[in-house]
Amino acid sequence: MNLLGIDVSGTCATFSRLCYFGAPWYSVILQWYRQQRSDHYRYPTSADDIQIVYESKNYFVVNKDDLVPIDSFDAPAQVNVTQQVKKWFHKRETERFLKQDPPATEEQAEQWSKSLAQKVEDIRYCHRLDLGTSGCMCYARSASASYLTYKAFIDKRVLKYYLALVHGHLHAPYSIFVNVPIGENASCYGRIMCTDDHPHCTAAKPAQSHVDVLEHGDYDGKPASKVLVRILTGKRHQIRLHMKYLGHPIIGDYLYTDPIDYKPHRIMLHARSLTIHTEQELIDALAKDPFVTQIDPKWKKTKTILPVNRW
């Protein structure tokens, strides 16, 4: 990127990293910066732009877009996922109510409006995804439903698969089991994490992941692989650190690549599927694979090792 004839790409990348940890408006800076570098950048322009991939009387699962914060606490002036879900639900229920026959009386409409406002207020997210990660994210429609998902996470009755594009061609004839603890990097500002082999790692906790290689190809002319990752634990930035540990960091990961990989329009990490065994119901959701040439022309598959549609 040139500013008055001066290349400021590296400066912008570093500034974006600092803003990520130093201010609540970090996502606006990073979103603006990456938008300049991509002709096919997808970012929701309004709260109406949302994809629901699973719905029941107790839960919603949305296909979260990358660089969209979860709630207003993360970025007050920006579109956020919680706002999207609540607005979508309110709009849909209102349309259904207005279409009913015979039409409701004024008193019935007032009661319904109060009931709907409470239902919207009760909607809450059950877990989190990193800002740059897209894919399946679950919302509960009540406090009791939220508690049941919390219990499912505690009891390890949750199955989560992620897709990622990583640097280089990862060769493995079988699933790779990564059992490397993760802790905070005491030498960095903000919550930068690291594996326990780092000299400044503190309070490391167990972290396990299974990695399967799905495809080999090229991203922006450089060797890359598409991998499927199943996480057995849920530590902060776990997949990003475990892929770095294997020597194949995630493309676009501006935190855990050296030099900083700021050129791609996003972090190539996507929550592909989510299965939660609650005592109330089985939540089973699948989000579309965004890492295909039709969506991102820079990714060109050259070899299929395992079919993506299997998951």
PDB file of all heavy atoms in Angstrom, residues 1-3 8-9 11-13 15-16 19 25-38 41 43 66-67 78 131 262-265:
ATOM      1  N   MET A   1       0.855  -1.182   0.000  1.00  0.00           N
ATOM      2  CA  MET A   1       0.000   0.000   0.000  1.00  0.00           C
ATOM      3  C   MET A   1       0.892   1.234   0.000  1.00  0.00           C
ATOM      4  O   MET A   1       1.824   1.336   0.800  1.00  0.00           O
ATOM      5  CB  MET A   1      -0.879   0.020   1.253  1.00  0.00           C
ATOM      6  CG  MET A   1      -1.887   1.154   1.279  1.00  0.00           C
ATOM      7  SD  MET A   1      -2.634   1.315   2.912  1.00  0.00           S
ATOM      8  CE  MET A   1      -3.232  -0.350   3.177  1.00  0.00           C
ATOM      9  N   ASN A   2       0.614   2.198  -0.893  1.00  0.00           N
ATOM     10  CA  ASN A   2       1.416   3.398  -0.997  1.00  0.00           C
ATOM     11  C   ASN A   2       0.656   4.605  -0.459  1.00  0.00           C
ATOM     12  O   ASN A   2      -0.526   4.778  -0.714  1.00  0.00           O
ATOM     13  CB  ASN A   2       1.803   3.663  -2.453  1.00  0.00           C
ATOM     14  CG  ASN A   2       2.810   2.650  -2.950  1.00  0.00           C
ATOM     15  OD1 ASN A   2       3.764   2.354  -2.253  1.00  0.00           O
ATOM     16  ND2 ASN A   2       2.597   2.123  -4.145  1.00  0.00           N
ATOM     17  N   LEU A   3       1.347   5.420   0.287  1.00  0.00           N
ATOM     18  CA  LEU A   3       0.782   6.659   0.801  1.00  0.00           C
ATOM     19  C   LEU A   3       1.764   7.768   0.476  1.00  0.00           C
ATOM     20  O   LEU A   3       2.877   7.801   0.996  1.00  0.00           O
ATOM     21  CB  LEU A   3       0.564   6.560   2.318  1.00  0.00           C
ATOM     22  CG  LEU A   3      -0.063   7.794   2.981  1.00  0.00           C
ATOM     23  CD1 LEU A   3      -1.467   8.045   2.441  1.00  0.00           C
ATOM     24  CD2 LEU A   3      -0.099   7.607   4.484  1.00  0.00           C
ATOM     25  N   VAL A   8       3.733   1.851   2.971  1.00  0.00           N
ATOM     26  CA  VAL A   8       3.459   1.814   4.415  1.00  0.00           C
ATOM     27  C   VAL A   8       2.808   0.495   4.822  1.00  0.00           C
ATOM     28  O   VAL A   8       2.192   0.405   5.876  1.00  0.00           O
ATOM     29  CB  VAL A   8       2.554   2.994   4.833  1.00  0.00           C
ATOM     30  CG1 VAL A   8       3.275   4.313   4.621  1.00  0.00           C
ATOM     31  CG2 VAL A   8       1.237   2.959   4.061  1.00  0.00           C
ATOM     32  N   SER A   9       2.926  -0.538   3.985  1.00  0.00           N
ATOM     33  CA  SER A   9       2.265  -1.813   4.274  1.00  0.00           C
ATOM     34  C   SER A   9       2.721  -2.395   5.599  1.00  0.00           C
ATOM     35  O   SER A   9       1.921  -2.808   6.433  1.00  0.00           O
ATOM     36  CB  SER A   9       2.533  -2.815   3.137  1.00  0.00           C
ATOM     37  OG  SER A   9       1.989  -2.346   1.934  1.00  0.00           O
ATOM     38  N   THR A  11       4.115  -0.881   8.132  1.00  0.00           N
ATOM     39  CA  THR A  11       3.699  -0.021   9.238  1.00  0.00           C
ATOM     40  C   THR A  11       2.241  -0.250   9.598  1.00  0.00           C
ATOM     41  O   THR A  11       1.868  -0.347  10.768  1.00  0.00           O
ATOM     42  CB  THR A  11       3.907   1.456   8.857  1.00  0.00           C
ATOM     43  OG1 THR A  11       5.271   1.644   8.495  1.00  0.00           O
ATOM     44  CG2 THR A  11       3.543   2.369  10.014  1.00  0.00           C
ATOM     45  N   CYS A  12       1.387  -0.368   8.547  1.00  0.00           N
ATOM     46  CA  CYS A  12      -0.036  -0.603   8.794  1.00  0.00           C
ATOM     47  C   CYS A  12      -0.260  -1.933   9.496  1.00  0.00           C
ATOM     48  O   CYS A  12      -1.105  -2.050  10.373  1.00  0.00           O
ATOM     49  CB  CYS A  12      -0.812  -0.581   7.477  1.00  0.00           C
ATOM     50  SG  CYS A  12      -1.047   1.075   6.806  1.00  0.00           S
ATOM     51  N   ALA A  13       0.523  -2.942   9.096  1.00  0.00           N
ATOM     52  CA  ALA A  13       0.366  -4.255   9.710  1.00  0.00           C
ATOM     53  C   ALA A  13       0.725  -4.203  11.189  1.00  0.00           C
ATOM     54  O   ALA A  13       0.020  -4.743  12.039  1.00  0.00           O
ATOM     55  CB  ALA A  13       1.237  -5.274   8.987  1.00  0.00           C
ATOM     56  N   PHE A  15       0.739  -1.531  13.108  1.00  0.00           N
ATOM     57  CA  PHE A  15      -0.255  -0.703  13.787  1.00  0.00           C
ATOM     58  C   PHE A  15      -1.522  -1.500  14.062  1.00  0.00           C
ATOM     59  O   PHE A  15      -2.121  -1.398  15.133  1.00  0.00           O
ATOM     60  CB  PHE A  15      -0.556   0.521  12.930  1.00  0.00           C
ATOM     61  CG  PHE A  15      -1.496   1.502  13.574  1.00  0.00           C
ATOM     62  CD1 PHE A  15      -1.244   1.995  14.848  1.00  0.00           C
ATOM     63  CD2 PHE A  15      -2.618   1.940  12.898  1.00  0.00           C
ATOM     64  CE1 PHE A  15      -2.089   2.913  15.438  1.00  0.00           C
ATOM     65  CE2 PHE A  15      -3.475   2.846  13.481  1.00  0.00           C
ATOM     66  CZ  PHE A  15      -3.212   3.340  14.753  1.00  0.00           C
ATOM     67  N   SER A  16      -1.928  -2.326  13.087  1.00  0.00           N
ATOM     68  CA  SER A  16      -3.119  -3.153  13.256  1.00  0.00           C
ATOM     69  C   SER A  16      -2.942  -4.110  14.426  1.00  0.00           C
ATOM     70  O   SER A  16      -3.849  -4.330  15.222  1.00  0.00           O
ATOM     71  CB  SER A  16      -3.402  -3.951  11.982  1.00  0.00           C
ATOM     72  OG  SER A  16      -3.729  -3.097  10.930  1.00  0.00           O
ATOM     73  N   CYS A  19      -3.237  -2.146  17.700  1.00  0.00           N
ATOM     74  CA  CYS A  19      -4.623  -1.735  17.964  1.00  0.00           C
ATOM     75  C   CYS A  19      -5.463  -2.914  18.425  1.00  0.00           C
ATOM     76  O   CYS A  19      -6.402  -2.764  19.205  1.00  0.00           O
ATOM     77  CB  CYS A  19      -5.234  -1.129  16.695  1.00  0.00           C
ATOM     78  SG  CYS A  19      -4.584   0.500  16.294  1.00  0.00           S
ATOM     79  N   TRP A  25     -11.496  -0.316  19.377  1.00  0.00           N
ATOM     80  CA  TRP A  25     -11.793  -0.105  17.963  1.00  0.00           C
ATOM     81  C   TRP A  25     -10.747  -0.754  17.060  1.00  0.00           C
ATOM     82  O   TRP A  25     -10.636  -0.425  15.886  1.00  0.00           O
ATOM     83  CB  TRP A  25     -11.894   1.396  17.663  1.00  0.00           C
ATOM     84  CG  TRP A  25     -10.915   2.251  18.403  1.00  0.00           C
ATOM     85  CD1 TRP A  25     -11.118   2.886  19.595  1.00  0.00           C
ATOM     86  CD2 TRP A  25      -9.574   2.567  18.008  1.00  0.00           C
ATOM     87  NE1 TRP A  25      -9.993   3.583  19.967  1.00  0.00           N
ATOM     88  CE2 TRP A  25      -9.036   3.401  19.011  1.00  0.00           C
ATOM     89  CE3 TRP A  25      -8.782   2.236  16.920  1.00  0.00           C
ATOM     90  CZ2 TRP A  25      -7.740   3.912  18.952  1.00  0.00           C
ATOM     91  CZ3 TRP A  25      -7.497   2.732  16.857  1.00  0.00           C
ATOM     92  CH2 TRP A  25      -6.984   3.557  17.865  1.00  0.00           C
ATOM     93  N   TYR A  26      -9.979  -1.710  17.601  1.00  0.00           N
ATOM     94  CA  TYR A  26      -8.956  -2.394  16.810  1.00  0.00           C
ATOM     95  C   TYR A  26      -9.528  -3.019  15.539  1.00  0.00           C
ATOM     96  O   TYR A  26      -8.905  -2.995  14.480  1.00  0.00           O
ATOM     97  CB  TYR A  26      -8.304  -3.504  17.641  1.00  0.00           C
ATOM     98  CG  TYR A  26      -9.249  -4.588  18.068  1.00  0.00           C
ATOM     99  CD1 TYR A  26      -9.547  -5.651  17.243  1.00  0.00           C
ATOM    100  CD2 TYR A  26      -9.885  -4.527  19.307  1.00  0.00           C
ATOM    101  CE1 TYR A  26     -10.444  -6.633  17.637  1.00  0.00           C
ATOM    102  CE2 TYR A  26     -10.771  -5.487  19.697  1.00  0.00           C
ATOM    103  CZ  TYR A  26     -11.048  -6.545  18.859  1.00  0.00           C
ATOM    104  OH  TYR A  26     -11.942  -7.507  19.231  1.00  0.00           O
ATOM    105  N   SER A  27     -10.726  -3.605  15.640  1.00  0.00           N
ATOM    106  CA  SER A  27     -11.288  -4.337  14.504  1.00  0.00           C
ATOM    107  C   SER A  27     -11.610  -3.420  13.338  1.00  0.00           C
ATOM    108  O   SER A  27     -11.543  -3.821  12.183  1.00  0.00           O
ATOM    109  CB  SER A  27     -12.548  -5.098  14.927  1.00  0.00           C
ATOM    110  OG  SER A  27     -13.452  -4.223  15.558  1.00  0.00           O
ATOM    111  N   VAL A  28     -11.965  -2.159  13.634  1.00  0.00           N
ATOM    112  CA  VAL A  28     -12.244  -1.207  12.561  1.00  0.00           C
ATOM    113  C   VAL A  28     -10.982  -0.937  11.763  1.00  0.00           C
ATOM    114  O   VAL A  28     -10.992  -0.901  10.530  1.00  0.00           O
ATOM    115  CB  VAL A  28     -12.801   0.111  13.146  1.00  0.00           C
ATOM    116  CG1 VAL A  28     -13.067   1.120  12.042  1.00  0.00           C
ATOM    117  CG2 VAL A  28     -14.065  -0.153  13.946  1.00  0.00           C
ATOM    118  N   ILE A  29      -9.857  -0.755  12.463  1.00  0.00           N
ATOM    119  CA  ILE A  29      -8.583  -0.505  11.806  1.00  0.00           C
ATOM    120  C   ILE A  29      -8.183  -1.694  10.933  1.00  0.00           C
ATOM    121  O   ILE A  29      -7.833  -1.545   9.754  1.00  0.00           O
ATOM    122  CB  ILE A  29      -7.471  -0.245  12.848  1.00  0.00           C
ATOM    123  CG1 ILE A  29      -7.819   0.982  13.695  1.00  0.00           C
ATOM    124  CG2 ILE A  29      -6.122  -0.063  12.159  1.00  0.00           C
ATOM    125  CD1 ILE A  29      -7.819   2.290  12.953  1.00  0.00           C
ATOM    126  N   LEU A  30      -8.239  -2.871  11.522  1.00  0.00           N
ATOM    127  CA  LEU A  30      -7.811  -4.060  10.802  1.00  0.00           C
ATOM    128  C   LEU A  30      -8.724  -4.363   9.621  1.00  0.00           C
ATOM    129  O   LEU A  30      -8.264  -4.718   8.535  1.00  0.00           O
ATOM    130  CB  LEU A  30      -7.790  -5.261  11.754  1.00  0.00           C
ATOM    131  CG  LEU A  30      -7.289  -6.582  11.147  1.00  0.00           C
ATOM    132  CD1 LEU A  30      -5.884  -6.403  10.596  1.00  0.00           C
ATOM    133  CD2 LEU A  30      -7.308  -7.678  12.191  1.00  0.00           C
ATOM    134  N   GLN A  31     -10.031  -4.201   9.828  1.00  0.00           N
ATOM    135  CA  GLN A  31     -10.976  -4.440   8.742  1.00  0.00           C
ATOM    136  C   GLN A  31     -10.720  -3.474   7.591  1.00  0.00           C
ATOM    137  O   GLN A  31     -10.721  -3.855   6.426  1.00  0.00           O
ATOM    138  CB  GLN A  31     -12.405  -4.306   9.258  1.00  0.00           C
ATOM    139  CG  GLN A  31     -13.476  -4.482   8.185  1.00  0.00           C
ATOM    140  CD  GLN A  31     -14.059  -3.161   7.737  1.00  0.00           C
ATOM    141  OE1 GLN A  31     -14.171  -2.237   8.520  1.00  0.00           O
ATOM    142  NE2 GLN A  31     -14.422  -3.070   6.484  1.00  0.00           N
ATOM    143  N   TRP A  32     -10.482  -2.189   7.908  1.00  0.00           N
ATOM    144  CA  TRP A  32     -10.202  -1.212   6.860  1.00  0.00           C
ATOM    145  C   TRP A  32      -8.930  -1.578   6.109  1.00  0.00           C
ATOM    146  O   TRP A  32      -8.882  -1.549   4.883  1.00  0.00           O
ATOM    147  CB  TRP A  32     -10.047   0.185   7.478  1.00  0.00           C
ATOM    148  CG  TRP A  32      -9.534   1.175   6.471  1.00  0.00           C
ATOM    149  CD1 TRP A  32     -10.252   1.873   5.556  1.00  0.00           C
ATOM    150  CD2 TRP A  32      -8.168   1.557   6.274  1.00  0.00           C
ATOM    151  NE1 TRP A  32      -9.430   2.659   4.797  1.00  0.00           N
ATOM    152  CE2 TRP A  32      -8.138   2.482   5.213  1.00  0.00           C
ATOM    153  CE3 TRP A  32      -6.970   1.186   6.889  1.00  0.00           C
ATOM    154  CZ2 TRP A  32      -6.958   3.068   4.754  1.00  0.00           C
ATOM    155  CZ3 TRP A  32      -5.792   1.762   6.429  1.00  0.00           C
ATOM    156  CH2 TRP A  32      -5.794   2.690   5.376  1.00  0.00           C
ATOM    157  N   TYR A  33      -7.886  -1.928   6.857  1.00  0.00           N
ATOM    158  CA  TYR A  33      -6.601  -2.245   6.232  1.00  0.00           C
ATOM    159  C   TYR A  33      -6.725  -3.427   5.284  1.00  0.00           C
ATOM    160  O   TYR A  33      -6.275  -3.380   4.139  1.00  0.00           O
ATOM    161  CB  TYR A  33      -5.553  -2.534   7.306  1.00  0.00           C
ATOM    162  CG  TYR A  33      -4.270  -3.089   6.722  1.00  0.00           C
ATOM    163  CD1 TYR A  33      -3.455  -2.285   5.945  1.00  0.00           C
ATOM    164  CD2 TYR A  33      -3.908  -4.416   6.928  1.00  0.00           C
ATOM    165  CE1 TYR A  33      -2.297  -2.789   5.388  1.00  0.00           C
ATOM    166  CE2 TYR A  33      -2.754  -4.916   6.374  1.00  0.00           C
ATOM    167  CZ  TYR A  33      -1.947  -4.103   5.603  1.00  0.00           C
ATOM    168  OH  TYR A  33      -0.820  -4.609   5.045  1.00  0.00           O
ATOM    169  N   ARG A  34      -7.371  -4.493   5.737  1.00  0.00           N
ATOM    170  CA  ARG A  34      -7.456  -5.679   4.899  1.00  0.00           C
ATOM    171  C   ARG A  34      -8.424  -5.492   3.729  1.00  0.00           C
ATOM    172  O   ARG A  34      -8.273  -6.100   2.693  1.00  0.00           O
ATOM    173  CB  ARG A  34      -7.837  -6.892   5.750  1.00  0.00           C
ATOM    174  CG  ARG A  34      -6.671  -7.295   6.633  1.00  0.00           C
ATOM    175  CD  ARG A  34      -6.766  -8.701   7.154  1.00  0.00           C
ATOM    176  NE  ARG A  34      -5.432  -9.210   7.445  1.00  0.00           N
ATOM    177  CZ  ARG A  34      -5.189 -10.326   8.102  1.00  0.00           C
ATOM    178  NH1 ARG A  34      -6.184 -11.047   8.547  1.00  0.00           N
ATOM    179  NH2 ARG A  34      -3.957 -10.727   8.293  1.00  0.00           N
ATOM    180  N   GLN A  35      -9.391  -4.646   3.901  1.00  0.00           N
ATOM    181  CA  GLN A  35     -10.321  -4.375   2.813  1.00  0.00           C
ATOM    182  C   GLN A  35      -9.600  -3.718   1.638  1.00  0.00           C
ATOM    183  O   GLN A  35      -9.956  -3.936   0.479  1.00  0.00           O
ATOM    184  CB  GLN A  35     -11.449  -3.468   3.301  1.00  0.00           C
ATOM    185  CG  GLN A  35     -12.590  -3.350   2.297  1.00  0.00           C
ATOM    186  CD  GLN A  35     -13.766  -2.597   2.876  1.00  0.00           C
ATOM    187  OE1 GLN A  35     -13.617  -1.903   3.875  1.00  0.00           O
ATOM    188  NE2 GLN A  35     -14.919  -2.728   2.269  1.00  0.00           N
ATOM    189  N   GLN A  36      -8.574  -2.935   1.925  1.00  0.00           N
ATOM    190  CA  GLN A  36      -7.835  -2.280   0.857  1.00  0.00           C
ATOM    191  C   GLN A  36      -7.070  -3.277  -0.007  1.00  0.00           C
ATOM    192  O   GLN A  36      -6.748  -2.999  -1.161  1.00  0.00           O
ATOM    193  CB  GLN A  36      -6.826  -1.270   1.442  1.00  0.00           C
ATOM    194  CG  GLN A  36      -7.368  -0.326   2.489  1.00  0.00           C
ATOM    195  CD  GLN A  36      -8.644   0.348   2.075  1.00  0.00           C
ATOM    196  OE1 GLN A  36      -8.702   0.969   1.023  1.00  0.00           O
ATOM    197  NE2 GLN A  36      -9.678   0.227   2.895  1.00  0.00           N
ATOM    198  N   ARG A  37      -6.807  -4.447   0.533  1.00  0.00           N
ATOM    199  CA  ARG A  37      -5.931  -5.392  -0.153  1.00  0.00           C
ATOM    200  C   ARG A  37      -6.699  -6.474  -0.896  1.00  0.00           C
ATOM    201  O   ARG A  37      -6.086  -7.394  -1.426  1.00  0.00           O
ATOM    202  CB  ARG A  37      -5.000  -6.065   0.864  1.00  0.00           C
ATOM    203  CG  ARG A  37      -4.234  -5.113   1.742  1.00  0.00           C
ATOM    204  CD  ARG A  37      -3.028  -5.798   2.341  1.00  0.00           C
ATOM    205  NE  ARG A  37      -2.090  -6.175   1.312  1.00  0.00           N
ATOM    206  CZ  ARG A  37      -1.038  -5.460   0.968  1.00  0.00           C
ATOM    207  NH1 ARG A  37      -0.808  -4.309   1.538  1.00  0.00           N
ATOM    208  NH2 ARG A  37      -0.212  -5.868   0.031  1.00  0.00           N
ATOM    209  N   SER A  38      -8.011  -6.426  -0.944  1.00  0.00           N
ATOM    210  CA  SER A  38      -8.758  -7.534  -1.528  1.00  0.00           C
ATOM    211  C   SER A  38      -9.930  -7.044  -2.375  1.00  0.00           C
ATOM    212  O   SER A  38     -10.704  -6.188  -1.957  1.00  0.00           O
ATOM    213  CB  SER A  38      -9.277  -8.455  -0.425  1.00  0.00           C
ATOM    214  OG  SER A  38     -10.108  -9.453  -0.977  1.00  0.00           O
ATOM    215  N   TYR A  41     -13.236  -9.123  -0.831  1.00  0.00           N
ATOM    216  CA  TYR A  41     -13.432  -9.112   0.619  1.00  0.00           C
ATOM    217  C   TYR A  41     -14.917  -9.140   0.949  1.00  0.00           C
ATOM    218  O   TYR A  41     -15.697  -8.370   0.400  1.00  0.00           O
ATOM    219  CB  TYR A  41     -12.791  -7.867   1.206  1.00  0.00           C
ATOM    220  CG  TYR A  41     -12.847  -7.805   2.706  1.00  0.00           C
ATOM    221  CD1 TYR A  41     -11.900  -8.487   3.461  1.00  0.00           C
ATOM    222  CD2 TYR A  41     -13.831  -7.092   3.359  1.00  0.00           C
ATOM    223  CE1 TYR A  41     -11.943  -8.440   4.842  1.00  0.00           C
ATOM    224  CE2 TYR A  41     -13.883  -7.037   4.733  1.00  0.00           C
ATOM    225  CZ  TYR A  41     -12.926  -7.720   5.466  1.00  0.00           C
ATOM    226  OH  TYR A  41     -12.988  -7.677   6.830  1.00  0.00           O
ATOM    227  N   TYR A  43     -17.650  -8.562   3.795  1.00  0.00           N
ATOM    228  CA  TYR A  43     -17.918  -8.051   5.134  1.00  0.00           C
ATOM    229  C   TYR A  43     -19.362  -7.576   5.190  1.00  0.00           C
ATOM    230  O   TYR A  43     -19.819  -6.875   4.287  1.00  0.00           O
ATOM    231  CB  TYR A  43     -16.988  -6.889   5.480  1.00  0.00           C
ATOM    232  CG  TYR A  43     -17.116  -6.465   6.916  1.00  0.00           C
ATOM    233  CD1 TYR A  43     -16.461  -7.173   7.915  1.00  0.00           C
ATOM    234  CD2 TYR A  43     -17.922  -5.396   7.277  1.00  0.00           C
ATOM    235  CE1 TYR A  43     -16.609  -6.822   9.245  1.00  0.00           C
ATOM    236  CE2 TYR A  43     -18.066  -5.031   8.599  1.00  0.00           C
ATOM    237  CZ  TYR A  43     -17.396  -5.751   9.577  1.00  0.00           C
ATOM    238  OH  TYR A  43     -17.554  -5.404  10.889  1.00  0.00           O
ATOM    239  N   ASP A  66     -15.810 -13.540   9.038  1.00  0.00           N
ATOM    240  CA  ASP A  66     -14.532 -13.152   9.633  1.00  0.00           C
ATOM    241  C   ASP A  66     -14.515 -11.643   9.869  1.00  0.00           C
ATOM    242  O   ASP A  66     -15.167 -10.869   9.169  1.00  0.00           O
ATOM    243  CB  ASP A  66     -13.374 -13.556   8.719  1.00  0.00           C
ATOM    244  CG  ASP A  66     -13.408 -12.838   7.383  1.00  0.00           C
ATOM    245  OD1 ASP A  66     -14.258 -13.201   6.539  1.00  0.00           O
ATOM    246  OD2 ASP A  66     -12.609 -11.921   7.179  1.00  0.00           O
ATOM    247  N   LEU A  67     -13.770 -11.247  10.881  1.00  0.00           N
ATOM    248  CA  LEU A  67     -13.602  -9.856  11.279  1.00  0.00           C
ATOM    249  C   LEU A  67     -14.889  -9.196  11.767  1.00  0.00           C
ATOM    250  O   LEU A  67     -14.969  -7.977  11.841  1.00  0.00           O
ATOM    251  CB  LEU A  67     -12.996  -9.026  10.126  1.00  0.00           C
ATOM    252  CG  LEU A  67     -11.501  -9.242   9.883  1.00  0.00           C
ATOM    253  CD1 LEU A  67     -11.015  -8.345   8.754  1.00  0.00           C
ATOM    254  CD2 LEU A  67     -10.686  -8.977  11.131  1.00  0.00           C
ATOM    255  N   GLN A  78     -19.491  -0.978  15.484  1.00  0.00           N
ATOM    256  CA  GLN A  78     -19.434  -1.888  14.344  1.00  0.00           C
ATOM    257  C   GLN A  78     -20.578  -2.896  14.390  1.00  0.00           C
ATOM    258  O   GLN A  78     -21.132  -3.192  15.454  1.00  0.00           O
ATOM    259  CB  GLN A  78     -18.096  -2.640  14.385  1.00  0.00           C
ATOM    260  CG  GLN A  78     -17.670  -3.223  13.063  1.00  0.00           C
ATOM    261  CD  GLN A  78     -16.273  -3.811  13.159  1.00  0.00           C
ATOM    262  OE1 GLN A  78     -15.549  -3.548  14.102  1.00  0.00           O
ATOM    263  NE2 GLN A  78     -15.907  -4.604  12.185  1.00  0.00           N
ATOM    264  N   LEU A 131     -11.932 -13.117  16.552  1.00  0.00           N
ATOM    265  CA  LEU A 131     -12.432 -12.092  15.639  1.00  0.00           C
ATOM    266  C   LEU A 131     -12.247 -12.500  14.181  1.00  0.00           C
ATOM    267  O   LEU A 131     -13.155 -12.374  13.362  1.00  0.00           O
ATOM    268  CB  LEU A 131     -11.704 -10.773  15.911  1.00  0.00           C
ATOM    269  CG  LEU A 131     -12.004  -9.629  14.945  1.00  0.00           C
ATOM    270  CD1 LEU A 131     -13.431  -9.133  15.127  1.00  0.00           C
ATOM    271  CD2 LEU A 131     -11.005  -8.488  15.117  1.00  0.00           C
ATOM    272  N   TYR A 262       0.568 -10.252   6.693  1.00  0.00           N
ATOM    273  CA  TYR A 262      -0.526  -9.290   6.689  1.00  0.00           C
ATOM    274  C   TYR A 262      -1.200  -9.149   5.321  1.00  0.00           C
ATOM    275  O   TYR A 262      -2.228  -8.488   5.197  1.00  0.00           O
ATOM    276  CB  TYR A 262      -0.022  -7.920   7.138  1.00  0.00           C
ATOM    277  CG  TYR A 262       1.103  -7.367   6.287  1.00  0.00           C
ATOM    278  CD1 TYR A 262       0.840  -6.677   5.105  1.00  0.00           C
ATOM    279  CD2 TYR A 262       2.421  -7.538   6.665  1.00  0.00           C
ATOM    280  CE1 TYR A 262       1.864  -6.187   4.329  1.00  0.00           C
ATOM    281  CE2 TYR A 262       3.453  -7.059   5.902  1.00  0.00           C
ATOM    282  CZ  TYR A 262       3.183  -6.374   4.730  1.00  0.00           C
ATOM    283  OH  TYR A 262       4.194  -5.900   3.953  1.00  0.00           O
ATOM    284  N   LYS A 263      -0.639  -9.763   4.271  1.00  0.00           N
ATOM    285  CA  LYS A 263      -1.160  -9.533   2.923  1.00  0.00           C
ATOM    286  C   LYS A 263      -2.530 -10.158   2.655  1.00  0.00           C
ATOM    287  O   LYS A 263      -3.372  -9.536   2.018  1.00  0.00           O
ATOM    288  CB  LYS A 263      -0.144 -10.010   1.892  1.00  0.00           C
ATOM    289  CG  LYS A 263       1.112  -9.148   1.842  1.00  0.00           C
ATOM    290  CD  LYS A 263       2.065  -9.613   0.752  1.00  0.00           C
ATOM    291  CE  LYS A 263       3.292  -8.707   0.698  1.00  0.00           C
ATOM    292  NZ  LYS A 263       4.226  -9.133  -0.361  1.00  0.00           N
ATOM    293  N   PRO A 264      -2.797 -11.398   3.087  1.00  0.00           N
ATOM    294  CA  PRO A 264      -4.130 -11.972   2.826  1.00  0.00           C
ATOM    295  C   PRO A 264      -5.242 -11.143   3.461  1.00  0.00           C
ATOM    296  O   PRO A 264      -5.025 -10.451   4.460  1.00  0.00           O
ATOM    297  CB  PRO A 264      -4.042 -13.367   3.462  1.00  0.00           C
ATOM    298  CG  PRO A 264      -2.585 -13.689   3.449  1.00  0.00           C
ATOM    299  CD  PRO A 264      -1.894 -12.379   3.714  1.00  0.00           C
ATOM    300  N   HIS A 265      -6.442 -11.241   2.873  1.00  0.00           N
ATOM    301  CA  HIS A 265      -7.548 -10.408   3.335  1.00  0.00           C
ATOM    302  C   HIS A 265      -8.165 -10.897   4.631  1.00  0.00           C
ATOM    303  O   HIS A 265      -9.020 -10.216   5.203  1.00  0.00           O
ATOM    304  CB  HIS A 265      -8.645 -10.327   2.261  1.00  0.00           C
ATOM    305  CG  HIS A 265      -9.299 -11.645   1.975  1.00  0.00           C
ATOM    306  ND1 HIS A 265      -8.683 -12.626   1.239  1.00  0.00           N
ATOM    307  CD2 HIS A 265     -10.512 -12.140   2.311  1.00  0.00           C
ATOM    308  CE1 HIS A 265      -9.494 -13.669   1.134  1.00  0.00           C
ATOM    309  NE2 HIS A 265     -10.606 -13.402   1.785  1.00  0.00           N
TER     310      HIS A 265
END
